Amino acid sequence: MSGERELGALVERLLADPQYRDHPLREALLLVYQHSTDQLNHLERITRISDGFQSMTREQHSTLSERYDQQLRRLRKILRISDRYQVMMADLNDALRIASMHDPLTGIGNRRLITERLQEESDRARRNGKSYALVILDADNFKQVNDTWGHNIGDRVLVEISRAMKGAIRECDLCGRWGGEEFLLLLPETSLDDARIVVERVHEAVCAVSMGIGAEVLSVTASFGVTEHLIGEHYMQTIGRADAALLDAKSGGRNRCVFARGG
């Protein structure tokens, strides 16, 4: 490269020297030099354009790559958010379903859960031939409790009755609030005779409920109507028979258990 610069400098000196102004080869040397200079300038422009294009291409490629990575990161974030949202919605649906199946005051099953389980147990009994026992119990003189002590105390009584029931039944049994001060027990694959043991235990647990209100003590009793589901009948017929037994218990003096056989 230094040799080319030296050659260029030599040609320029020769062309500028006055003694060679009339030399017959001076014109030819000038044309060759100008042509070489033009070619060199052209090559330099091409080189600059090429370098610029390559730089632009690299920059564009880098920009596209960065944009791709950015979009990829954004999509991954959206997917993570979507996964969390789906988990959250599933948890919310589970919570809503549980809430819709349980009594908000006592926390035990409500009428909806009870009717679903009654349908399931009736279908199961039809398939395997093993029936279930059904119990309806009612807190005695509950209206008097509300009138005397107020509804807040009445609600506390219902909560304590629910706790006593839950502590006295078996793991496979279901207790639920049927409505007001009325509760229902579902004893799967249990005959009327076998239900007596569970019912007596629940009766004792409910009657043991007592609440201190100031200097006074509030005690609780309950009446029970018990029956056995007849395989093939609708569960509402079973409920009707248990409810009739409950009425007999209340009309017979309350704080009693009446067992009714079907058929």
Side-chain angles (χ1 to χ4, degrees), residues 48-49 64 95-96 99 133 145 168 173 189 205 207 211 214 224 228 238 245:
R48 286 195 299 271
I49 293 173
L64 289 174
L96 290 174
V145 173
D173 300 330
E189 298 187 3
C207 290
M211 296 171 50
F224 291 72
E228 181 179 347
T238 312

Side-chain angles (χ1 to χ4, degrees), residues 98-123:
I98 291 173
S100 70
M101 292 288 191
H102 290 78
D103 177 54
L105 174 64
T106 62
I108 61 176
N110 59 13
R111 183 183 288 257
R112 179 180 177 183
L113 177 60
I114 293 170
T115 53
E116 283 195 11
R117 284 291 303 276
L118 283 169
Q119 183 64 61
E120 292 173 1
E121 291 301 325
S122 298
D123 294 340

Side-chain angles (χ1 to χ4, degrees), residues 45-61:
R45 285 198 301 272
I46 292 176
T47 301
R48 286 195 299 271
I49 293 173
S50 176
D51 291 342
F53 178 78
Q54 291 180 14
S55 176
M56 181 183 66
T57 301
R58 285 194 300 271
E59 183 179 353
Q60 186 178 34
H61 176 74

Side-chain angles (χ1 to χ4, degrees), residues 77-225:
K77 182 178 180 181
I78 291 173
L79 287 175
R80 288 195 297 271
I81 294 173
S82 176
D83 289 342
R84 289 197 297 269
Y85 176 78
Q86 291 180 25
V87 171
M88 181 184 70
M89 290 303 297
D91 292 342
L92 179 60
N93 287 334
D94 290 342
L96 290 174
R97 175 173 174 77
I98 291 173
S100 70
M101 292 288 191
H102 290 78
D103 177 54
L105 174 64
T106 62
I108 61 176
N110 59 13
R111 183 183 288 257
R112 179 180 177 183
L113 177 60
I114 293 170
T115 53
E116 283 195 11
R117 284 291 303 276
L118 283 169
Q119 183 64 61
E120 292 173 1
E121 291 301 325
S122 298
D123 294 340
R124 192 197 313 276
R126 190 179 298 110
R127 292 194 304 270
N128 62 20
K130 297 179 181 180
S131 193
Y132 59 86
L134 188 65
V135 185
I136 299 180
L137 66 99
D138 188 271
D140 293 328
N141 302 312
F142 187 72
K143 184 177 184 301
Q144 184 178 342
V145 173
N146 278 334
D147 292 343
T148 304
W149 305 103
H151 289 279
N152 288 338
I153 298 299
D155 287 347
R156 286 179 57 191
V157 169
L158 296 177
V159 171
E160 292 303 319
I161 291 176
S162 302
R163 289 176 179 170
M165 290 169 52
K166 288 177 66 176
I169 61 177
R170 303 167 301 181
E171 187 175 351
C172 63
D173 300 330
L174 170 69
C175 67
R177 187 179 178 191
W178 191 241
E181 66 272 22
E182 202 168 63
F183 299 87
L184 188 145
L185 296 176
L186 173 61
L187 313 179
E189 298 187 3
T190 305
S191 67
L192 190 64
D193 294 333
D194 292 337
R196 290 179 183 274
I197 300 174
V198 180
V199 172
E200 289 173 1
R201 189 165 62 240
V202 173
H203 190 195
E204 292 176 0
V206 172
C207 290
V209 171
S210 62
M211 296 171 50
I213 307 175
E216 300 187 50
V217 176
L218 174 61
S219 298
V220 178
T221 63
S223 301
F224 291 72

